[in-house]
């Protein structure tokens, strides 16, 4: 597409927050200044676009934010943006501020919103994958995924100390919604006894067999990682079923929950977010609209948003095999 003249770009974060969102905002804004553009922060995601929470940014706004978790622009979920009237209000506010392009940092829902908005109003938009879940196609890793895995692994290291001291069996639930990426990585990285992910159903009998075999082999501790939204149920539900069949086990359940979203981004996420922030601005200037910038095999790639959000990214079979081999 022939690039439109772009002078003012609005940037927003939307959906669940993820570590590295600040780094992505900073890189986007810095790259904007480098190319002599005016940069605007849209606070509270699409909700702020509808309510006109839009402010011009200067370099002071983005000082010392690279290393901070969360998003200084705040994030929100907006029911009103799902309606055409809501999106029209948002469009009118962009026109009022003379904003002629958008960078949307968020998960599949947020990118769906950007795609619809582009189709309806023709505002050039580029998405950046900002979610801990890693469930977007068009990028090897989403911004925040690596940090979330590190956080989960550090927490499980601590749980292992108590599991070993008391011969306990722990069921640890990690985030990821319908995707098992955090679970499988955490399982491999923390030497889990088993990893239960939504993509693969593990019958309870097989889990019991594995736990019995590990007891026989005199394994010092047993930690089972359970992805939220798994087909076999959450950690509490599975623990209950196992307790029924192995009543002599001292079983505990830990749900890591929102602590996986917070914290300073890892080196990997900082670099990824920085590359993608620059890619967003350069993509817009080159006329790449309605796409998501991602990194595949260390190279920046642009994927149509409609393709990135289809939800066909799958846990690598090899990762699953490695987790299985190392847990027996
Ligand atoms: P995460 O993966 O971390 O949950 P997300 O971006 O997928 O992040 P959602 O709550 O699904 O989070 O979406 C964020 C916002 O994007 C929604 O609150 C809504 O404003 C907008 N959005 C999502 N889906 C649509 C849609 N189909 N049409 C218009 N807007 C949408």
């Amino acid at each position: 597409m022939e690039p439109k003249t772009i002078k003012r770009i609005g940037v927003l974060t939307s959906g669940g927050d993820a570590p590295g969102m600040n780094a992505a905002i900073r890189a986007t804004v810095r790259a904007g200044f480098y190319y002599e553009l005016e940069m605007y922060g849209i606070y509270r995601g699409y909700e702020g676009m509808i309510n006109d929470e839009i402010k011009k940014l200067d370099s002071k706004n983005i000082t010392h934010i690279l290393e901070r978790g969360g998003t200084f622009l705040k994030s929100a979920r907006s029911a009103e943006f799902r309606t055409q009237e809501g999106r029209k209000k948002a469009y009118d506010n962009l026109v009022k501020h003379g904003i002629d392009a958008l960078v949307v940092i968020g998960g599949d829902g947020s990118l769906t919103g950007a795609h619809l908005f582009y189709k309806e109003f023709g505002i050039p938009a580029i998405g950046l994958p900002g979610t801990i879940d890693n469930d977007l196609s068009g990028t090897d890793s989403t911004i925040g995924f690596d940090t979330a895995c590190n956080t989960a692994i550090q927490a499980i290291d601590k749980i292992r100390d108590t599991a070993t001291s008391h011969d306990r069996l722990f069921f640890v639930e990690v985030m990821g919604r319908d995707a098992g990426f955090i679970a499988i990585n955490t399982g491999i990285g923390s030497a889990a006894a088993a990893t239960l992910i939504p993509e693969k159903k593990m019958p309870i009998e097989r889990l019991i067999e594995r736990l019995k075999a590990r007891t026989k082999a005199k394994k010092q501790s047993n930690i089972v990682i359970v992805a939220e939204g798994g087909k076999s149920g959450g950690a509490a539900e599975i623990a209950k079923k196992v307790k029924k069949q192995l009543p002599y086990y001292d079983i505990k359940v830990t749900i890591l929950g929102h602590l996986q979203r917070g914290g300073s981004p890892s080196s990997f996420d900082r670099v990824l977010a920085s590359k993608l922030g620059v890619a967003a601005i350069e993509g817009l200037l080159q006329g790449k609209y309605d796409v998501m910038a991602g990194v595949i095999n260390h190279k920046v790639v642009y994927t149509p948003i409609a393709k990135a959000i289809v939800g066909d990214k799958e846990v690598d079979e090899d990762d699953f095999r490695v987790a299985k081999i190392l847990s027996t």
Side-chain angles (χ1 to χ4, degrees):
M1 178 177 297
E2 197 55 32
K4 295 186 182 182
T5 304
I6 290 175
K7 289 199 176 115
R8 284 186 188 175
I9 298 181
V11 54
L12 64 92
T13 46
S14 166
D17 67 313
M21 278 184 161
N22 271 326
I25 299 166
R26 178 228 178 219
T28 303
V29 174
R30 278 238 168 284
F33 291 158
Y34 179 85
Y35 288 105
E36 297 178 351
L37 302 167
E38 288 180 49
M39 299 301 296
Y40 282 72
I42 301 168
Y43 290 74
R44 292 184 182 76
Y46 294 125
E47 198 65 7
M49 218 156 116
I50 292 169
N51 296 330
D52 196 13
E53 295 182 70
I54 301 174
K55 287 185 193 137
K56 191 171 178 191
L57 299 174
D58 61 35
S59 56
K60 275 197 247 82
N61 295 109
I62 51 159
T63 303
H64 291 308
I65 64 160
L66 168 81
E67 66 276 25
R68 280 171 41 202
T71 156
F72 90 92
L73 288 178
K74 314 261 185 190
S75 191
R77 303 195 197 265
S78 169
E80 204 179 347
F81 195 77
R82 290 176 185 272
T83 67
Q84 212 172 11
E85 301 81 67
R87 292 194 290 275
K88 174 72 169 67
K89 273 195 215 166
Y91 173 72
D92 290 342
N93 283 327
L94 294 189
V95 171
K96 189 171 109 186
H97 291 277
I99 292 173
D100 30 38
L102 281 178
V103 176
V104 173
I105 307 165
D108 58 344
S110 304
L111 299 196
T112 305
H115 173 64
L116 269 181
F117 197 66
Y118 174 71
K119 287 185 92 176
E120 274 172 10
F121 300 104
I123 295 269
I126 271 201
L128 296 186
T131 167
I132 62 169
D133 300 339
N134 200 28
D135 57 351
L136 285 162
S137 300
T139 191
D140 289 335
S141 187
T142 54
I143 297 165
F145 170 63
D146 182 67
T147 308
C149 290
N150 284 327
T151 304
I153 283 173
Q154 282 162 16
I156 293 162
D157 284 348
K158 294 187 172 99
I159 289 170
R160 187 174 296 285
D161 290 344
T162 177
T164 311
S165 304
H166 290 271
D167 291 327
R168 278 179 179 146
L169 164 60
F170 266 89
F171 286 85
V172 180
E173 187 173 301
V174 298
M175 278 187 165
R177 288 224 269 183
D178 304 329
F181 295 100
I182 295 179
I184 204 80
N185 267 270
T186 308
I188 294 171
S190 66
T195 305
L196 309 186
I197 60 171
E199 294 86 341
K200 298 246 184 224
K201 193 170 164 61
M202 183 192 239
I204 203 83
E205 295 71 31
R206 188 131 43 92
L207 177 60
I208 302 279
E209 267 168 37
R210 182 162 323 164
L211 292 170
K212 281 183 177 167
R214 285 175 63 92
T215 307
K216 230 177 166 183
K218 300 209 175 344
K219 296 275 183 193
Q220 292 232 337
S221 60
N222 277 313
I223 293 177
V224 176
I225 309 292
V226 184
E228 67 176 353
K231 289 183 183 127
S232 331
E237 203 180 314
I238 291 168
K240 230 188 243 167
K241 287 182 193 158
V242 170
K243 183 75 182 169
K244 262 193 197 153
Q245 299 199 43
L246 302 173
Y248 44 88
Y249 269 75
D250 182 6
I251 295 179
K252 298 284 175 210
V253 174
T254 301
I255 295 170
L256 294 186
H258 282 80
L259 73 83
Q260 294 160 95
R261 286 194 182 278
S264 179
S266 65
S267 148
F268 181 90
D269 277 328
R270 291 180 195 201
V271 175
L272 176 66
S274 300
K275 282 184 184 177
L276 293 182
V278 173
I281 296 298
E282 291 184 339
L284 283 172
L285 294 178
Q286 290 159 15
K288 295 188 170 82
Y289 307 151
D290 198 20
V291 294
M292 184 196 84
V295 169
I296 295 180
N297 291 332
H298 307 287
K299 285 274 165 242
V300 168
V301 289
Y302 297 92
T303 304
I305 289 181
K307 263 179 105 175
I309 57 174
V310 288
D312 61 352
K313 187 171 176 184
E314 288 182 352
V315 168
D316 197 310
E317 272 298 322
D318 281 339
D319 288 356
F320 191 69
R321 201 170 48 80
V322 167
K324 194 173 158 196
I325 289 171
L326 296 180
S327 62
T328 41

